[in-house]
Amino acid sequence: MNPALMSHQTNYEYVPFRENTRYQNQTPFKKLKVDQYLRILDGNGLQWPMIEHISEFFQSLVRRNLSIGSLVQYFHALNRFFLFFKSLGVSRLEFVDRGHLGAFIEYLQDDNLMASSINGYLRSLYAIFGFLAEKDVISSDIMKNKFKLKMPDLLPKAIDPDDIKLFLSVINTARERALILVLLRTGMRIGELLGTKIIDINFREKKIEIPQAYKNYEGRIVYMGDDACSALKVWLKERLPGKEYIFPGSGNREKLSYPMARLLFIKYMQKAGLSHKGYTLHCLRHTYASELLNAGMRLECLQVLLGHQNIEMTRRYARLTDNTRKNEYFKAMEIIERGEIDGHYRFDN
């Protein structure tokens, strides 16, 4: 066995980065996953002492209490890159350079990966290479002029108000109605809602506590409208007692799975005759944000409710729903159409 793997079995001091005890019991499992990743990399030909440095990198992720999903992303990015790297005839990662990374991007593009997926690989690889460069294991030149694929600047897709009314009108079971209305009125990501427990709900204040968000690992509070509260109360009276998650799964599953939630959404979209419009489950979150902005909510307030770390993410909805801009346009257009524009357009020579 690789010496680095043997040394990895010693006891390291894992310091939890976040204090939420609800998630800290995952640390032993994370250690086992790291051991598994190192063995796979060892089997693929990653050599000592590089594997020892990679071990140290993953240990740092566990100390920071990154989610298991994040560990998986880093591993898949590194493993896929290393297998490609070996196919170029280079077996030692110490010799990686910017040209290898550029070739890897072209390889992923040839494999028809979306730009967003390729950028995800790049973010993970740059984090790993940055760690290695700081230790002088690889050349720091690879961190200069970082590659990043240009992304299309797409607007979020919200569900039309008439379509929302039609969609809600065909949902006739307590569980599905509660699921859809809570998503629509809180703006929660589906992963956040499926991970929500009974103890996280405060009906008196009409709010739900998200201890650690599904995507950015930050906690926040979201609020529910009256219709969502009512639907949720009806569902909680009907569901089987003794379950800690709001939406328990079938059989031995603790909670409803994302694929099942997605199928339920598709089922009712079909029932409402809206399948052709391309709406997805995440469009409920976009609709939530768009409706609040249309109702006059400040951008900074919406940012906190959505859990966006960067307000530019929230500002996309302002481009979609800015009634002020719309009103200013038609006010100006009335003047133009009445022929009340003064002056001429010409250049002075």
Side-chain angles (χ1 to χ4, degrees), residues 209-246:
E209 178 183 352
I210 305 174
Q212 287 183 328
Y214 178 75
K215 190 171 182 180
N216 60 21
Y217 228 25
E218 299 292 337
R220 72 182 193 280
I221 300 291
V222 294
Y223 300 93
M224 296 181 286
D226 290 337
D227 54 355
C229 279
S230 298
L232 194 51
K233 288 178 181 177
V234 170
W235 163 238
L236 292 180
K237 289 179 181 178
E238 290 190 10
R239 69 192 282 280
L240 292 174
K243 304 287 187 179
E244 61 177 343
Y245 289 96
I246 298 178

Side-chain angles (χ1 to χ4, degrees), residues 111-122:
D111 205 24
N112 294 320
L113 259 70
M114 296 175 61
S116 57
S117 299
I118 296 175
N119 281 337
Y121 275 108
L122 291 173

Side-chain angles (χ1 to χ4, degrees), residues 114-137:
M114 296 175 61
S116 57
S117 299
I118 296 175
N119 281 337
Y121 275 108
L122 291 173
R123 282 192 297 271
S124 296
L125 289 173
Y126 276 127
I128 297 169
F129 294 155
F131 179 87
L132 297 176
E134 286 182 0
K135 294 184 170 295
D136 293 325
V137 178

Side-chain angles (χ1 to χ4, degrees), residues 288-301:
Y288 161 86
S290 302
E291 289 183 342
L292 287 179
L293 279 179
N294 268 333
M297 177 173 282
R298 290 182 297 108
L299 205 62
E300 293 79 8
C301 184

